[in-house]
Amino acid sequence: MAPPLVAGGGLLLAAFLAFSLAASSANAAVSYDHRSLVINGRRRILISGSIHYPRSTPEMWPGLIQKAKDGGLDVIQTYVFWNGHEPVKGQYYFSDRYDLVRFVKLAKQAGLYVHLRIGPYVCAEWNFGGFPVWLKYVPGISFRTDNGPFKAEMQRFVEKIVSMMKSERLFEWQGGPIIMTQVENEFGPMESVGGSGAKPYANWAAKMAVATNTGVPWVMCKQEDAPDTVINTCNGFYCDYFTPNKKNKPTMWTEAWTGWFTSFGGAVPHRPVEDMAFAVARFIQKGGSFVNYYMYHGGTNFGRTAGGPFIATSYDYDAPIDEYGLLRQPKWGHLRDLHKAIKQAEPVLVSGDPTVQSLGNYEKAYVFKSKNGACAAAFLSNYHMNAAVKVRFNGRHYDLPAWSISILPDCKTAVFNTATVKEPTLLPKMHLVVRFAWQSYSEDTNSLDGSAFTKNGLVEQLSMTWDKSDYLWYTTYVNIGANELSKNGQWPQLTIYSAGHSMQVFVNGKSYGSVYGGYNNPKLTYDGHVKMWQGSNKISILSSAVGLPVSFPQLSLFMPLDSKLFVTLVYGIGAHVE
């Protein structure tokens, strides 16, 4: 009889532990189920907006956060920018525009939650994707893969941020505003090109993050194979097609793109608010419970934080709050009204899944029912992009403009339609406050300072500058014999191939122009005739980088200047210089 008693005891212990874990989960300040995040025992429809603290000034933060709250937001979302916080390995910076703790506390003071996207890879059109440059030169490192040196550095920084948030009591269970955290960023699509180390790395990142015991859910955006302990989420212009990879996870949209970033030489993007509102209502009507506007305030890429190459300093993003902190109307006001309509139906929206009724060829009704089975809230949708229509629902008629959704919080009254904009268009008036003074600096191309050195072959620009400067001089000499010059006075042709991003060309101290790439094609070629003489000729190239790459796998392979100079003389006689 002894062995059965031991086995029975083991079963009782296992049952007790399972009950304890379940009770702990139920009592957690933030948990989740199939329908939504659960905060202090209450399911929530959460409207969030991205405001990146380094892309505005600390003086702007209170006003931006208040405008977000007035616009109907519940949550402020931000990345954590590793290269801003640890520009030198082991030396941390959390002041001025990088005062993360102050920013999170201001959100708390305003009565808003925070979604902290620790990454630490962020993309975000931010220089080097948020990675500090020194990381590239850690011996044996390979970014975002199953690589020991990279994982060690990543874990150290993630744990640093989590520890800081805990010590400041900023997680929700501590009385703080942080209800959710994110590890990595949009890594799922990269797994197919990341080799054998990609999937093990993604699993490791999830487990490492969960092991930090933040006490709030972790998410991984665009990560279809996110482990059971992590919620996979959607990013995009539309996410109504999205379904999480497990039935017990809520449907969440971590980046609803309000516009797009601006590149040098490119058009300034614009997304109509009618389409933005339609996308959000479409997501909510299908059971979505968390929407984050990326961006709600885009701000400015101050200093040299713009990534690239060729991302502009403005990160306005056509967001509801513009680059300068002013309301963009009618976008801000129309979305505010959308949020009010959604919130009127919040209790019933999170109580169960919708049923779908066909109202026509392009028209549908998404109906949320009360416990007794009666219609409690409804979304009436017209998916036709060009034609308005009148539909009949529950014995009443409703007019639906093309490509629009009407929200009926009580299943009767349409309180909001996504295509009916009532907020007037207001253009801000800009007034000159300070006159800017410009300074120019002269630099002799024929002189080299004490930092100059000679080497056969080319040197990677980033390995020299460590991103402390955008500029690097490359100099070489070409000796031309008496018989190599053209007898008809035609100058030699100089051709330079470069991986970018821009260059200015000087020969014997004289400028022969400049050339630059662009966002879609950063590589460039200089081709021109230059005056040379018999004897030694000095070719000087001022190379400049216009933002470091932000995406994988280019991060690991980055060489901002990989130039070869070909000096071709007339009559086919020439010199090849590398």
Side-chain angles (χ1 to χ4, degrees):
M1 295 296 291
L5 285 174
V6 173
L11 289 172
L12 288 172
L13 177 60
F16 174 75
L17 286 174
F19 174 79
S20 298
L21 290 172
S24 175
S25 176
N27 295 328
V30 185
S31 59
Y32 61 86
D33 60 16
H34 163 67
R35 282 303 299 128
S36 71
L37 286 183
V38 180
I39 303 177
N40 295 316
R42 178 188 170 196
R43 287 175 173 168
R44 296 294 309 274
I45 296 284
L46 294 173
I47 308 297
S48 175
S50 290
I51 301 176
H52 296 161
Y53 52 99
R55 282 177 159 144
S56 54
T57 64
E59 293 78 12
M60 294 173 67
W61 293 347
L64 293 174
I65 292 170
Q66 186 60 49
K67 288 173 182 175
K69 183 177 182 180
D70 294 343
L73 267 59
D74 307 292
V75 183
I76 299 295
Q77 183 197 82
T78 184
Y79 284 121
V80 177
F81 298 86
W82 190 358
N83 53 10
H85 292 303
E86 194 180 5
V88 178
K89 184 175 181 179
Q91 297 181 20
Y92 296 100
Y93 183 76
F94 289 93
S95 300
D96 194 42
R97 289 186 295 106
Y98 292 94
D99 194 341
L100 174 60
V101 169
R102 178 184 175 188
F103 182 77
V104 174
K105 287 183 176 180
L106 285 172
K108 167 67 175 178
Q109 291 174 16
L112 297 180
Y113 296 120
V114 171
H115 175 204
L116 196 64
R117 307 175 84 184
I118 301 175
Y121 170 72
V122 300
C123 184
E125 292 73 55
W126 187 266
N127 206 34
F128 220 29
F131 286 161
V133 169
W134 58 259
L135 189 68
K136 184 179 187 298
Y137 300 102
V138 171
I141 202 163
S142 184
F143 291 172
R144 303 177 77 198
T145 188
D146 192 19
N147 171 265
F150 177 74
K151 291 193 296 183
E153 295 294 347
M154 174 176 168
Q155 181 171 351
R156 180 179 59 82
F157 182 75
V158 170
E159 290 177 346
K160 167 78 176 178
I161 297 301
V162 171
S163 177
M164 177 180 289
M165 298 301 104
K166 285 182 179 178
S167 66
E168 295 287 342
R169 303 191 63 79
L170 293 177
F171 288 105
E172 212 283 338
W173 55 272
Q174 297 175 298
I178 301 174
I179 59 169
M180 192 162 56
T181 42
Q182 177 179 303
V183 67
E184 248 297 334
N185 189 62
E186 296 185 335
F187 185 71
M190 300 296 103
E191 287 190 7
S192 61
V193 297
S196 60
K199 190 173 183 63
Y201 161 70
N203 289 331
W204 168 85
K207 292 178 181 177
M208 178 274 294
V210 173
T212 61
N213 296 316
T214 60
V216 299
W218 284 88
V219 303
M220 295 179 80
C221 61
K222 298 180 75 169
Q223 191 72 43
E224 293 182 1
D225 59 354
D228 290 349
T229 51
V230 174
I231 305 169
N232 64 306
T233 67
C234 184
N235 291 354
F237 286 109
Y238 305 95
C239 277
D240 51 282
Y241 63 87
F242 172 74
T243 302
N245 61 11
K246 295 290 183 180
K247 291 183 178 181
N248 67 320
K249 298 179 182 181
T251 303
M252 304 178 72
W253 190 0
T254 40
E255 289 188 17
W257 299 332
T258 56
W260 200 242
F261 60 85
T262 305
S263 60
F264 284 115
V268 177
H270 170 66
R271 185 178 190 184
V273 68
E274 296 92 335
D275 184 63
M276 184 78 253
F278 179 82
V280 172
R282 192 172 177 177
F283 180 74
I284 296 295
Q285 75 178 2
K286 289 191 173 183
S289 60
F290 179 95
V291 176
N292 176 77
Y293 294 103
Y294 188 100
M295 302 290 296
Y296 199 76
H297 164 71
T300 304
N301 293 316
F302 292 105
R304 296 168 49 255
T305 59
F310 297 101
I311 303 298
T313 52
S314 172
Y315 202 66
D316 182 86
Y317 225 87
D318 198 33
I321 303 175
D322 73 11
E323 179 178 4
Y324 311 104
L326 305 175
L327 299 183
R328 173 172 276 116
Q329 297 287 24
K331 183 169 274 189
W332 182 87
H334 191 54
L335 294 178
R336 173 204 58 200
D337 296 342
L338 167 65
H339 306 153
K340 289 180 180 178
I342 292 172
K343 288 295 183 176
Q344 287 183 48
E346 181 178 11
V348 68
L349 294 181
V350 295
S351 65
D353 297 319
T355 59
V356 184
Q357 299 177 19
S358 176
L359 303 178
N361 292 332
Y362 296 92
E363 302 80 41
K364 292 182 179 180
Y366 288 80
V367 179
F368 293 81
K369 297 181 179 180
S370 61
K371 292 182 179 179
N372 62 12
C375 179
F379 292 70
L380 307 184
S381 307
N382 177 13
Y383 294 127
H384 199 293
M385 299 187 69
N386 301 308
V389 68
K390 183 185 289 288
V391 298
R392 182 178 177 84
F393 173 73
N394 273 7
R396 298 174 181 237
H397 289 93
Y398 298 89
D399 292 314
L400 297 178
W403 197 248
S404 76
I405 296 174
S406 286
I407 301 177
L408 287 61
D410 60 356
C411 266
K412 297 178 182 178
T413 306
V415 300
F416 180 86
N417 178 269
T418 59
T420 304
V421 180
K422 298 179 180 179
E423 197 72 29
T425 298
L426 298 177
L427 298 177
K429 295 181 179 180
M430 309 299 288
H431 301 281
L432 182 65
V433 177
V434 178
R435 292 189 178 275
F436 294 97
W438 296 93
Q439 290 180 296
S440 61
Y441 300 88
S442 298
E443 186 168 347
D444 187 356
T445 65
N446 289 307
S447 64
L448 298 175
D449 60 23
S451 63
F453 64 94
T454 301
K455 183 177 180 179
N456 291 326
L458 288 170
V459 176
E460 181 195 44
Q461 178 170 331
L462 185 60
S463 67
M464 292 292 98
T465 65
W466 278 54
D467 201 36
K468 293 174 182 167
S469 171
D470 289 325
Y471 301 97
L472 187 67
W473 282 103
Y474 287 85
T475 301
T476 191
Y477 296 86
V478 178
N479 288 311
I480 299 180
N483 296 326
E484 292 182 303
L485 289 173
S486 169
K487 300 220 176 11
N488 62 9
Q490 184 178 6
W491 293 352
Q493 182 174 345
L494 173 64
T495 302
I496 306 170
Y497 301 100
S498 172
H501 304 138
S502 70
M503 71 172 80
Q504 298 180 58
V505 179
F506 301 85
V507 177
N508 294 325
K510 180 180 178 181
S511 172
Y512 283 90
S514 61
V515 63
Y516 53 87
Y519 174 73
N520 293 318
N521 186 19
K523 295 185 178 182
L524 52 94
T525 300
Y526 173 87
D527 197 0
H529 291 278
V530 298
K531 184 177 181 180
M532 291 185 175
W533 48 62
Q534 181 180 340
S536 179
N537 294 265
K538 182 179 181 180
I539 301 174
S540 302
I541 302 170
L542 180 58
S543 167
S544 59
V546 190
L548 304 187
V550 302
S551 60
F552 171 86
Q554 290 83 1
L555 283 170
S556 298
L557 306 175
F558 178 56
M559 293 188 67
L561 181 65
D562 181 15
S563 303
K564 291 186 177 180
L565 288 77
F566 296 91
V567 182
T568 305
L569 307 182
V570 295
Y571 306 127
I573 304 174
H576 175 199
V577 183
E578 292 190 3

